[in-house]
């Protein structure tokens, strides 16, 4: 049980760090999102590569390319397209559905059957994100919706493929290779779409450093480590902390004020995350208690000693 709590804490690092990127990008980075994605991904991958000092071998050349495309390269380009075509609120709400998509991808690829409580919690959480972010406008460019859904689906599949393949080489090498591949793939796209790289001053360099080191290198390693030790549906639920972090940073740092509707949405997201986890803990404890009691007094004593 303590190990599960520890890995739940590790899982939280990623969405909280990812959620902070909205504020950092808006406040301190130039309007060059593809260059920003490349500058964010490539240094993070090179740093991890310097730590592991291993190059891909055999099938990991194409596996790194697949994961780098799904989780970094194509993902960032699609997110950029969605950001250009959709209000941030609509794009973020669509991305929040990854909490269900990850569980379904794990069912299809890993045969991890999604728990009903986790799916219900994800549905409640998505409703909370929509209530928290969506305004009165309903206009949405269909191209942006398609790009956002594609980004969500690709990353969900990429996360589960990484969970399936990471055991072959380890989390650090796999994360390093896919970030390097994805970052390199983004460079020519950035040059064609956005022209020369943006100018970087001290503040911009610090912001890019935070995104590369914390919101990319650390966050991705934490995310894949959590996927290794926890059910995919549970990790997907924790991912709902991403938009929550963005909203709370706006309140705490930028002085934004939450409306009652947003507070209700925030409460729904937290309930959607916490309720299935709490229910799972209670079910697990009762199951262990029944097993111990049916095994006899000696097993009960051993169970009490171990806890």
């Amino acid at each position: 049980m303590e190990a599960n709590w520890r890995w739940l804490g590790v899982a939280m690092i990623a969405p909280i760090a990812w959620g902070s990127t909205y504020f950092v990008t808006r406040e301190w980075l130039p309007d060059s999102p593809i260059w920003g994605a490349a500058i964010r991904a490539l240094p993070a991958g090179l740093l991890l590569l310097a730590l592991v000092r291993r190059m891909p071998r055999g099938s990991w050349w194409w596996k790194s390319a697949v994961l780098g495309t799904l989780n970094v390269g194509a993902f960032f380009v699609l997110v950029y397209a969605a950001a250009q075509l959709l209000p941030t609120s609509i794009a973020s709400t669509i991305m929040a559905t990854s909490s269900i998509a990850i569980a379904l991808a794990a069912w299809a690829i890993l045969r991890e059957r999604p728990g009903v409580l986790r799916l219900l919690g994800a549905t409640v959480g998505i409703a909370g994100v929509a209530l928290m972010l969506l305004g009165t406008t309903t206009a949405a460019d269909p191209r942006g919706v398609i790009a956002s859904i594609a980004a969500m689906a690709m990353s969900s599949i990429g996360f589960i493929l990484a969970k399936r393949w990471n055991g072959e080489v380890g989390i650090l090498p796999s994360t390093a290779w896919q970030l390097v591949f994805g970052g390199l793939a983004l460079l020519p796209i950035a040059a064609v779409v956005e022209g020369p790289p943006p100018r970087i001053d001290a503040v911009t360099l610090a912001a890019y450093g935070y995104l590369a080191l914390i919101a990319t290198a650390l966050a991705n390693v934490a995310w894949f480590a959590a996927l290794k030790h926890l059910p995919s549906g549970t990790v997907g639920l924790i991912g709902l902390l991403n938009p929550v972090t963005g909203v709370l940073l706006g309140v705490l740092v930028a002085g934004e004020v939450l409306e009652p509707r947003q507070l209700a949405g925030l409460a729904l997201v937290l309930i959607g995350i916490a309720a299935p986890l709490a229910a799972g803990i209670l079910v697990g404890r009762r199951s262990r208690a029944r097993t111990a009691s049916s095994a006899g007094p000696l097993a009960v004593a051993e169970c009490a000693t171990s806890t």
Side-chain angles (χ1 to χ4, degrees):
M1 183 57 63
E2 290 182 2
N4 285 345
W5 280 112
R6 188 185 313 120
W7 289 113
L8 284 173
V10 170
M12 292 179 186
I13 293 173
I16 291 174
W18 292 335
S20 69
T21 62
Y22 306 123
F23 181 81
V24 173
T25 300
R26 184 175 68 247
E27 294 294 323
W28 294 302
L29 291 184
D31 186 19
S32 303
I34 301 182
W35 271 116
I39 295 171
R40 172 184 171 182
L42 189 54
L46 292 174
L47 172 65
L48 293 177
L49 190 60
L51 293 175
V52 299
R53 298 182 181 182
R54 291 174 59 187
M55 294 296 291
R57 293 182 180 178
S59 65
W60 267 96
W61 284 106
W62 67 263
K63 289 178 179 177
S64 299
V66 169
L67 295 179
T69 299
L70 294 175
N71 295 333
V72 183
F75 173 73
F76 280 131
V77 172
L78 288 169
V79 167
Y80 169 54
Q84 295 294 312
L85 297 168
L86 292 176
T88 302
S89 57
I90 296 178
S92 298
T93 301
I94 293 174
M95 290 301 299
T97 61
S98 64
S99 54
I100 291 178
I102 288 173
L104 295 179
W107 190 9
I109 297 173
L110 302 178
R111 297 295 184 262
E112 282 186 15
R113 186 176 296 275
V116 174
L117 287 177
R118 286 195 291 268
L119 290 178
L120 287 175
T123 302
V124 171
I126 293 167
V129 171
L131 187 61
M132 187 170 55
L133 296 180
L134 294 181
T136 56
T137 179
T138 57
D141 189 319
R143 296 172 300 169
V145 172
I146 292 172
S148 194
I149 292 175
M152 177 275 298
M154 290 179 69
S155 62
S156 298
I157 294 172
F159 291 152
I160 299 307
L161 287 177
K163 178 173 183 173
R164 180 176 183 175
W165 292 337
N166 280 350
E168 301 173 9
V169 295
I171 293 168
L172 282 178
S174 169
T175 306
W177 299 337
Q178 60 184 289
L179 285 172
V180 169
F181 185 94
L184 289 174
L186 284 169
L187 290 179
I189 299 173
V192 171
V193 175
E194 298 178 349
R199 293 183 179 180
I200 298 178
D201 56 20
V203 174
T204 305
L205 181 62
Y208 277 133
Y210 168 80
L211 292 182
L213 296 176
I214 305 300
T216 303
L218 175 62
N220 280 42
V221 170
W223 184 254
F224 291 126
L227 276 170
K228 177 181 178 180
H229 292 90
L230 294 172
S232 304
T234 298
V235 179
L237 265 183
I238 299 297
L240 288 169
L241 290 174
N242 185 329
V244 170
T245 301
V247 170
L248 291 181
L249 274 179
V251 173
L252 297 174
V253 181
E256 299 174 3
V257 179
L258 292 181
E259 301 174 359
R261 171 179 59 83
Q262 293 173 304
L263 289 171
L266 178 61
L268 279 179
V269 175
L270 296 178
I271 290 171
I273 296 172
L277 298 180
I281 291 171
L282 290 175
V283 170
R285 286 178 177 175
R286 290 177 180 176
S287 177
R288 287 193 298 273
R290 285 196 298 268
T291 301
S293 61
S294 63
L298 180 59
V300 173
E302 291 177 350
C303 182
T305 302
S306 64
T307 55

